[in-house]
Amino acid sequence: MDRGTERDLLIAENIVQPLLIMASNCSSIETALEKLIEIAKTVEGRSDLASLNIISQLLRLCLSALYPVGHQVLSLSLKLLRNLCAGEIRNQNAFLEKNGAEVVSTIINSVGPTYDNNVGIVWLALQLLANFVLAGGEHQRAVWCQFFPHGFLNIARVRSRETCDPLCMVIYTCCAGDDALLTALCDEQQGLHVVIEIVRTASMADLAESWFKLLLSRICLEESYIASVFFNLDPGYAADMIPGSEHFVSEQAYILSTLSEILNERIEDLAVTPDFALHILGILKSAAARVDFSTRGKTSLPTGTTLINILGYSLTILRDICACDRRTGLKDDDAVAVLVSSGLIELLLSFLSGLEPPATIQKATKRQVGGTTGQIDCCPYKGYRRDIVAVLGNCAYGRKQVQDEIRKKNGIVLLLQQCVTDEDNPFLREWGIWAARNLLEGNKENQEVVAGLELQRSLDVPELARLGLRVEVDPITHRAKLVNG
């Protein structure tokens, strides 16, 4: 007797027969399920099957064919249930009424500790739940009550990209219309371990799928649970420690790189919270305090060093935070205003002034004074200088307070010196020109400083012409100023 026949004999006739009839009297349950799967791929097919009480029969079949004995029948049944619940409310409601979420939990538990070797069953079960929860609040609460937190946690620990993204879809959809569920998910005593395991799985699988990004965006950017997630990714972190005071782990660098990618993709429509911005600034300070700036980096982000990756991705996130808010100017309660009031400009100018000048400037300096500047700090990765300039440039866009602070901290010459090419910092020149434009636009005081330097020949910046600017002396006041060329 073959395995297929043996499995058929273990399933009650009153479960199998109705499904065989629905599939036009197929000879085996496997063949019947395959035929019904094809029918359920269309809207009309799902609608027709909804009137035949098929959900109830399939759930009974699943419980009769639990893993591992009924692996093939179980896989086909889940695939059919998944198709049936794709937008057909009658099937979704039937799944709810027959406690489908509980049946799916039983199926997943039957796989048990062998999740990692049998992700196909878990993947199909999650796809089914993902289609089911799209029906609305009652359906979402049924899944949440059945799986939160332990069921979600067990699935999150399956180190597979196939299961991670559909799990994120289920959790994101459940939380989308219920802030209380999101709060529970991010609570350190309830669901935060689920989030941590999802991030760890995503990091190991190098996951960059849409639902993972949506969930991470909601948790860290829109609701600002970044600190809880970021610091709890470190196994050595304790609540009484100064965040980041001991060491960083690769998962922390991964979450920053993903958040940077999300911000860059949604730069036109996403405004982050001030709390999020402050936490990123704190991470930047912590990383910068421990980076060895005496060694010049040979690669761009991501590098092979977690600490340098965290430094770099913190800067790229701050760059895009300033870009997200640049259309609104500087308001007292926006993210950029909070960053500026917390010392962002002074910090970045100190980073920039601590670096050895770009190679072009170094050569010019040697020609003029016959020596070097004595600076010893190097870029720890290719693009570090560019990223600092980019943050300052975006921050100065239309914000006179920032423009004035840079001038008062003697940062004008420093920024103008970045309008050069540099092989260790691709696109430095372009970002330098952008920063110079934003520093000077609409700010007469800054323009006069640069004009005075031009007349004194103490600054050689031919890129000013590319900005459409030239120095002109007022015939009445005899004061130098920059005007449109």
Side-chain angles (χ1 to χ4, degrees):
M1 182 181 293
D2 62 29
R3 283 187 65 191
T5 305
E6 182 180 9
R7 283 200 303 272
D8 287 348
L9 292 175
L10 295 174
I11 302 171
E13 185 72 16
N14 64 341
I15 297 175
V16 174
Q17 195 60 38
L19 294 168
L20 295 177
I21 294 173
M22 291 179 199
S24 301
N25 294 312
C26 290
S27 59
S28 71
I29 187 61
E30 289 92 341
T31 304
L33 290 171
E34 289 171 351
K35 186 171 182 178
L36 291 170
I37 287 168
E38 290 301 312
I39 294 173
K41 287 182 178 180
T42 67
V43 174
E44 296 79 7
R46 291 191 289 272
S47 178
D48 291 341
L49 291 173
S51 61
L52 299 177
N53 195 30
I54 190 172
I55 295 293
S56 177
Q57 293 298 125
L58 284 171
L59 291 175
R60 293 173 65 196
L61 178 61
C62 287
L63 291 175
S64 300
L66 292 177
Y67 186 88
V69 176
H71 184 278
Q72 184 181 4
V73 171
L74 188 57
S75 295
L76 293 171
S77 299
L78 287 172
K79 189 177 294 187
L80 177 54
L81 283 166
R82 177 198 64 189
N83 291 359
L84 289 167
C85 286
E88 174 51 63
I89 189 62
R90 288 181 295 169
N91 288 329
Q92 292 166 329
N93 287 340
F95 191 86
L96 177 65
E97 292 165 6
K98 299 300 179 180
N99 298 318
E102 183 179 352
V103 173
V104 171
S105 177
T106 302
I107 292 170
I108 293 176
N109 288 337
S110 75
V111 178
T114 59
Y115 281 175
D116 291 339
N117 297 323
N118 298 279
V119 295
I121 295 289
V122 182
W123 174 67
L124 287 169
L126 288 170
Q127 288 192 323
L128 164 58
L129 293 178
N131 283 346
F132 171 66
V133 296
L134 291 174
E138 191 175 1
H139 304 69
Q140 293 158 9
R141 286 189 293 274
V143 170
W144 192 267
C145 291
Q146 187 63 50
F147 285 88
F148 181 82
H150 301 296
F152 286 147
L153 182 60
N154 289 337
I155 300 171
R157 286 173 173 160
V158 179
R159 304 304 185 200
S160 165
R161 64 186 303 131
E162 287 79 9
T163 57
C164 191
D165 205 50
L167 173 63
C168 291
M169 179 183 178
V170 172
I171 294 175
Y172 177 86
T173 305
C174 288
C175 294
D178 195 329
D179 291 340
L181 297 187
L182 184 70
T183 300
L185 178 66
C186 297
D187 187 279
E188 294 194 22
Q189 304 304 317
Q190 297 187 64
L192 185 64
H193 292 301
V194 176
V195 178
I196 297 302
E197 292 301 328
I198 286 174
V199 174
R200 286 178 177 151
T201 296
S203 176
M204 291 179 64
D206 194 22
L207 185 71
E209 305 297 328
S210 58
W211 288 106
F212 171 66
K213 286 184 176 180
L214 282 171
L215 182 62
L216 196 62
S217 177
R218 178 79 192 280
I219 292 170
C220 295
L221 296 176
E222 298 168 40
E223 299 295 337
S224 196
Y225 287 101
I226 176 64
S228 295
V229 176
F230 184 85
F231 293 114
N232 278 281
L233 282 168
D234 180 359
Y237 171 72
D240 57 351
M241 286 171 48
I242 299 173
S245 61
E246 295 298 316
H247 64 282
F248 291 113
V249 296
S250 60
E251 291 87 354
Q252 291 172 316
Y254 173 78
I255 197 174
L256 290 185
S257 71
T258 306
L259 290 170
S260 176
E261 188 176 322
I262 292 168
L263 268 173
N264 195 257
E265 291 171 349
R266 300 179 58 190
I267 203 164
E268 294 298 326
D269 60 71
L270 185 64
V272 304
T273 66
D275 282 347
F276 173 79
L278 281 178
H279 285 307
I280 297 301
L281 179 59
I283 293 169
L284 173 65
K285 291 178 179 178
S286 180
R290 292 162 40 228
V291 166
D292 179 8
F293 287 98
S294 65
T295 303
R296 182 175 288 105
K298 298 181 180 180
T299 61
S300 303
L301 295 174
T303 70
T305 306
T306 294
L307 178 60
I308 293 176
N309 287 341
I310 286 176
L311 174 77
Y313 288 125
S314 297
L315 281 171
T316 61
I317 289 172
L318 290 171
R319 175 198 69 199
D320 290 337
I321 288 175
C322 293
C324 287
D325 283 354
R326 71 189 182 202
R327 298 178 302 277
T328 62
L330 194 64
K331 298 180 180 178
D332 292 339
D333 59 348
D334 71 10
V336 177
V338 172
L339 287 171
V340 171
S341 65
S342 300
L344 174 67
I345 304 304
E346 183 175 6
L347 179 70
L348 295 180
L349 289 176
S350 71
F351 288 171
L352 197 57
S353 63
L355 287 174
E356 58 184 1
T360 304
I361 302 296
Q362 288 190 59
K363 291 176 182 178
T365 303
K366 289 179 182 178
R367 286 197 301 269
Q368 293 172 12
V369 299
T372 65
T373 61
Q375 298 286 357
I376 59 171
D377 285 0
C378 303
C379 292
Y381 66 89
K382 285 184 177 292
Y384 173 68
R385 179 195 303 278
R386 173 205 62 213
D387 291 341
I388 296 173
V389 173
V391 180
L392 287 166
N394 283 349
C395 197
Y397 181 88
R399 299 182 177 107
K400 190 172 188 302
Q401 178 183 336
V402 175
Q403 298 167 347
D404 290 344
E405 182 176 353
I406 291 173
R407 182 185 70 253
K408 293 173 183 177
K409 295 187 182 304
N410 300 316
I412 290 181
V413 173
L414 183 62
L415 275 175
L416 291 176
Q417 287 177 336
Q418 313 308 314
C419 298
V420 294
T421 57
D422 183 52
E423 64 180 16
D424 286 333
N425 288 273
F427 302 105
L428 173 65
R429 175 176 167 276
E430 288 76 10
W431 277 109
I433 293 173
W434 169 252
R437 173 201 178 280
N438 296 340
L439 184 62
L440 300 177
E441 186 176 50
N443 193 306
K444 293 183 179 179
E445 295 92 336
N446 287 359
Q447 292 179 14
E448 289 178 352
V449 168
V450 175
L453 291 169
E454 283 274 286
L455 288 178
Q456 298 165 25
R457 299 184 179 274
S458 58
L459 181 68
D460 180 19
V461 187
E463 303 296 350
L464 284 177
R466 297 182 181 274
L467 295 173
L469 299 172
R470 60 183 175 83
V471 180
E472 183 179 275
V473 178
D474 189 290
I476 299 177
T477 64
H478 301 290
R479 295 182 64 182
K481 60 181 180 179
L482 282 179
V483 297
N484 290 329

